[in-house]
């Protein structure tokens, strides 16, 4: 290296300086990863709740019962809490998965807004966590639409 290069701050061998040398490095968003994991756990818990409820109803009432008979049988058995405990636990698991999904959705949005972070996990977390609230809203709308037809 000659004195001219050293005096003017040029790097040795005439290579230009790296343009990203002073910029902060991008890292994975920890909030995005948390959002993604919470979304997966919420979906798994929701699936377990659905399977538990379906198994309980099929074991107790069989597949040939109609809606009114099923509702009447559940109301009759509701006096004994232990008889319908799987349905209650499944309902609590569904509620837990819904709340977890909302928390994951918020974490995903915050993670997606972070600067100098990769956006992959936050975006996937937002998509996965939005499935349950959108699904619940769809089921509510479907129930309201079919509410008058079940007789």
């Amino acid at each position: 290296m000659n004195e001219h290069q050293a005096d003017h701050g040029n790097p040795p061998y005439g290579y230009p300086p790296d343009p990203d040398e002073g910029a902060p490095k991008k890292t994975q968003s920890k909030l995005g990863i948390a959002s993604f994991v919470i979304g997966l756990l919420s979906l798994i818990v929701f699936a377990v709740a659905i399977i538990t409820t379906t198994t309980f109803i099929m074991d107790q009432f069989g597949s040939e019962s109609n809606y009114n008979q099923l509702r009447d049988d559940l109301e009759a058995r509701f006096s004994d809490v232990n008889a319908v405990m799987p349905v209650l636990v499944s309902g609590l698991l569904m509620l837990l998965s819904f709340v977890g999904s909302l928390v994951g959705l918020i974490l995903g949005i915050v993670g997606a807004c972070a600067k100098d972070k990769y956006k992959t996990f936050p975006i996937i977390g937002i998509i996965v966590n939005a499935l349950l609230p959108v699904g619940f809203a769809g089921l509510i709308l479907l129930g309201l639409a079919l509410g008058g037809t079940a007789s």
Side-chain angles (χ1 to χ4, degrees):
M1 172 164 63
N2 62 26
E3 292 98 24
H4 179 68
Q5 285 179 331
D7 291 341
H8 289 58
N10 292 334
Y13 311 112
Y15 295 115
D18 189 13
D20 295 331
E21 192 172 302
K25 300 285 184 195
K26 277 190 169 186
T27 58
Q28 287 293 344
S29 171
K30 290 178 179 42
L31 293 176
I33 294 171
S35 170
F36 175 67
V37 170
I38 289 172
L40 286 180
L41 289 176
S42 293
L43 288 177
I44 291 170
V45 167
F46 186 77
V48 167
I50 293 293
I51 291 170
T52 303
T53 303
T54 304
T55 303
F56 173 77
I57 289 173
M58 289 299 168
D59 287 346
Q60 295 295 320
F61 305 108
S63 60
E64 60 274 346
S65 62
N66 65 18
Y67 173 75
N68 289 331
Q69 179 186 358
L70 177 63
R71 186 182 64 208
D72 293 340
D73 287 345
L74 276 176
E75 287 175 359
R77 291 180 189 211
F78 222 167
S79 61
D80 183 21
V81 175
N82 290 331
V84 291
M85 189 58 72
V87 175
L88 294 176
V89 170
S90 295
L92 288 175
L93 285 176
M94 286 182 197
L95 184 63
L96 177 72
S97 68
F98 181 76
V99 170
S101 182
L102 289 178
V103 169
L105 188 61
I106 292 168
L107 289 176
I109 291 170
V110 171
C113 293
K115 294 185 181 207
D116 298 326
K117 302 285 185 184
Y118 290 113
K119 308 293 187 217
T120 307
F121 277 109
I123 291 173
I124 294 172
I126 290 170
I127 292 169
V128 170
N129 283 302
L131 290 175
L132 283 178
V134 169
F136 274 123
L139 285 176
I140 289 171
L141 291 175
L142 182 66
L144 289 174
L146 297 177
T149 61
S151 50

